[in-house]
Short mmCIF file of all heavy atoms in Angstrom, two decimals:
data_model
loop_
_atom_site.label_atom_id
_atom_site.label_comp_id
_atom_site.label_asym_id
_atom_site.label_seq_id
_atom_site.Cartn_x
_atom_site.Cartn_y
_atom_site.Cartn_z
N THR A 713 -65.05 42.89 12.27
CA THR A 713 -65.81 44.00 11.70
C THR A 713 -66.79 44.50 12.75
O THR A 713 -67.20 43.74 13.64
CB THR A 713 -66.58 43.57 10.44
OG1 THR A 713 -67.39 44.67 10.00
CG2 THR A 713 -67.48 42.37 10.70
N ASN A 714 -67.17 45.74 12.63
CA ASN A 714 -68.21 46.27 13.53
C ASN A 714 -69.59 46.10 12.93
O ASN A 714 -70.59 46.38 13.58
CB ASN A 714 -67.95 47.76 13.81
CG ASN A 714 -66.77 47.95 14.73
OD1 ASN A 714 -66.56 47.18 15.65
ND2 ASN A 714 -65.98 48.98 14.48
N ALA A 715 -69.67 45.67 11.69
CA ALA A 715 -70.95 45.55 11.01
C ALA A 715 -71.83 44.49 11.67
O ALA A 715 -71.34 43.43 12.08
CB ALA A 715 -70.73 45.18 9.54
N CYS A 716 -73.12 44.79 11.80
CA CYS A 716 -74.10 43.81 12.29
C CYS A 716 -75.48 44.35 11.94
O CYS A 716 -75.74 45.54 12.11
CB CYS A 716 -73.98 43.59 13.79
SG CYS A 716 -75.16 42.36 14.42
N GLU A 717 -76.36 43.46 11.45
CA GLU A 717 -77.69 43.89 11.03
C GLU A 717 -78.70 43.90 12.18
O GLU A 717 -79.81 44.36 12.02
CB GLU A 717 -78.20 43.03 9.88
CG GLU A 717 -78.34 41.54 10.18
CD GLU A 717 -77.05 40.76 9.92
OE1 GLU A 717 -76.11 40.94 10.72
OE2 GLU A 717 -77.01 39.97 8.96
N LEU A 718 -78.32 43.40 13.34
CA LEU A 718 -79.24 43.39 14.47
C LEU A 718 -79.07 44.67 15.30
O LEU A 718 -78.11 45.43 15.10
CB LEU A 718 -79.02 42.15 15.33
CG LEU A 718 -79.23 40.80 14.62
CD1 LEU A 718 -79.22 39.67 15.63
CD2 LEU A 718 -80.52 40.78 13.81
N HIS A 719 -79.98 44.87 16.23
CA HIS A 719 -79.96 46.11 17.03
C HIS A 719 -80.23 45.76 18.49
O HIS A 719 -81.17 46.30 19.10
CB HIS A 719 -81.00 47.09 16.50
CG HIS A 719 -80.81 47.43 15.06
ND1 HIS A 719 -79.87 48.34 14.61
CD2 HIS A 719 -81.41 46.94 13.93
CE1 HIS A 719 -79.91 48.40 13.30
NE2 HIS A 719 -80.82 47.55 12.86
N CYS A 720 -79.43 44.90 19.05
CA CYS A 720 -79.62 44.51 20.45
C CYS A 720 -79.45 45.74 21.35
O CYS A 720 -78.48 46.50 21.18
CB CYS A 720 -78.62 43.44 20.83
SG CYS A 720 -78.69 41.96 19.77
N ALA A 721 -80.36 45.91 22.28
CA ALA A 721 -80.37 47.12 23.11
C ALA A 721 -79.10 47.24 23.94
O ALA A 721 -78.66 48.34 24.27
CB ALA A 721 -81.60 47.11 24.00
N TYR A 722 -78.51 46.13 24.29
CA TYR A 722 -77.35 46.13 25.18
C TYR A 722 -76.03 46.19 24.42
O TYR A 722 -74.96 46.18 25.03
CB TYR A 722 -77.36 44.88 26.06
CG TYR A 722 -77.65 43.61 25.29
CD1 TYR A 722 -76.66 43.00 24.54
CD2 TYR A 722 -78.93 43.07 25.28
CE1 TYR A 722 -76.92 41.86 23.81
CE2 TYR A 722 -79.21 41.94 24.55
CZ TYR A 722 -78.21 41.33 23.82
OH TYR A 722 -78.48 40.22 23.08
N CYS A 723 -76.06 46.23 23.11
CA CYS A 723 -74.84 46.15 22.31
C CYS A 723 -74.01 47.42 22.40
O CYS A 723 -74.54 48.52 22.29
CB CYS A 723 -75.19 45.87 20.86
SG CYS A 723 -73.71 45.65 19.83
N TYR A 724 -72.73 47.24 22.58
CA TYR A 724 -71.83 48.40 22.65
C TYR A 724 -71.03 48.59 21.36
O TYR A 724 -70.25 49.53 21.24
CB TYR A 724 -70.86 48.25 23.83
CG TYR A 724 -70.05 46.99 23.81
CD1 TYR A 724 -68.92 46.88 23.02
CD2 TYR A 724 -70.45 45.90 24.58
CE1 TYR A 724 -68.18 45.70 22.98
CE2 TYR A 724 -69.72 44.71 24.55
CZ TYR A 724 -68.59 44.63 23.76
OH TYR A 724 -67.88 43.46 23.72
N ALA A 725 -71.17 47.67 20.40
CA ALA A 725 -70.38 47.77 19.17
C ALA A 725 -70.91 48.88 18.28
O ALA A 725 -72.12 48.93 18.00
CB ALA A 725 -70.43 46.44 18.41
N PRO A 726 -70.04 49.77 17.82
CA PRO A 726 -70.49 50.77 16.85
C PRO A 726 -70.89 50.05 15.57
O PRO A 726 -70.25 49.06 15.19
CB PRO A 726 -69.25 51.65 16.65
CG PRO A 726 -68.10 50.80 17.05
CD PRO A 726 -68.61 49.85 18.09
N LYS A 727 -71.92 50.49 14.88
CA LYS A 727 -72.45 49.71 13.76
C LYS A 727 -71.95 50.16 12.39
O LYS A 727 -72.57 49.88 11.38
CB LYS A 727 -73.99 49.75 13.79
CG LYS A 727 -74.60 49.09 15.02
CD LYS A 727 -74.16 47.65 15.14
CE LYS A 727 -74.92 46.92 16.21
NZ LYS A 727 -74.73 47.52 17.54
N GLY A 755 -65.12 37.86 16.84
CA GLY A 755 -66.40 38.46 17.22
C GLY A 755 -66.59 39.71 16.41
O GLY A 755 -66.06 39.86 15.33
N GLY A 756 -67.32 40.65 16.96
CA GLY A 756 -67.53 41.89 16.21
C GLY A 756 -68.25 42.90 17.09
O GLY A 756 -67.99 42.95 18.29
N GLY A 757 -69.27 43.46 16.46
CA GLY A 757 -69.99 43.14 15.22
C GLY A 757 -70.23 41.65 15.01
O GLY A 757 -70.09 40.85 15.91
N GLU A 758 -70.64 41.36 13.79
CA GLU A 758 -70.98 39.98 13.43
C GLU A 758 -69.87 39.42 12.54
O GLU A 758 -69.71 39.85 11.38
CB GLU A 758 -72.33 39.96 12.72
CG GLU A 758 -72.70 38.62 12.12
CD GLU A 758 -72.62 37.48 13.12
OE1 GLU A 758 -72.98 37.67 14.29
OE2 GLU A 758 -72.19 36.38 12.72
N PRO A 759 -69.07 38.46 13.03
CA PRO A 759 -67.92 38.00 12.26
C PRO A 759 -68.29 37.34 10.94
O PRO A 759 -67.51 37.41 9.98
CB PRO A 759 -67.23 37.01 13.21
CG PRO A 759 -68.26 36.61 14.19
CD PRO A 759 -69.16 37.80 14.35
N THR A 783 -67.98 33.83 17.68
CA THR A 783 -69.26 34.10 18.32
C THR A 783 -70.17 34.75 17.29
O THR A 783 -69.76 35.70 16.63
CB THR A 783 -69.08 35.07 19.51
OG1 THR A 783 -68.13 34.51 20.41
CG2 THR A 783 -70.40 35.30 20.23
N THR A 784 -71.38 34.22 17.13
CA THR A 784 -72.26 34.71 16.06
C THR A 784 -73.70 34.79 16.54
O THR A 784 -74.10 34.06 17.44
CB THR A 784 -72.17 33.78 14.83
OG1 THR A 784 -73.07 34.24 13.83
CG2 THR A 784 -72.49 32.33 15.19
N HIS A 785 -74.48 35.67 15.90
CA HIS A 785 -75.92 35.67 16.18
C HIS A 785 -76.62 34.55 15.42
O HIS A 785 -77.78 34.25 15.68
CB HIS A 785 -76.55 37.04 15.89
CG HIS A 785 -76.38 37.55 14.48
ND1 HIS A 785 -76.55 36.79 13.35
CD2 HIS A 785 -76.05 38.80 14.03
CE1 HIS A 785 -76.37 37.52 12.27
NE2 HIS A 785 -76.03 38.75 12.66
N GLY A 786 -75.94 33.94 14.47
CA GLY A 786 -76.44 32.73 13.82
C GLY A 786 -77.28 32.95 12.58
O GLY A 786 -77.51 32.01 11.82
N HIS A 787 -77.73 34.18 12.34
CA HIS A 787 -78.64 34.41 11.21
C HIS A 787 -77.99 34.24 9.85
O HIS A 787 -78.67 34.09 8.85
CB HIS A 787 -79.27 35.81 11.32
CG HIS A 787 -80.16 35.96 12.50
ND1 HIS A 787 -81.46 35.50 12.52
CD2 HIS A 787 -79.92 36.49 13.73
CE1 HIS A 787 -82.00 35.74 13.71
NE2 HIS A 787 -81.09 36.34 14.47
S1 SF4 B 1318 -75.84 40.42 17.54
FE1 SF4 B 1318 -74.02 41.02 18.71
S2 SF4 B 1318 -73.01 42.59 17.48
FE2 SF4 B 1318 -75.09 42.36 16.69
S3 SF4 B 1318 -76.28 43.96 17.70
FE3 SF4 B 1318 -76.48 42.06 18.91
S4 SF4 B 1318 -74.87 42.14 20.49
FE4 SF4 B 1318 -74.36 43.66 18.88
#
Side-chain angles (χ1 to χ4, degrees):
T713 175
N714 287 323
C716 181
E717 60 273 72
L718 300 190
H719 303 281
C720 303
Y722 46 79
C723 184
Y724 56 81
K727 296 302 189 300
E758 171 54 37
T783 304
T784 177
H785 57 45
H787 294 280

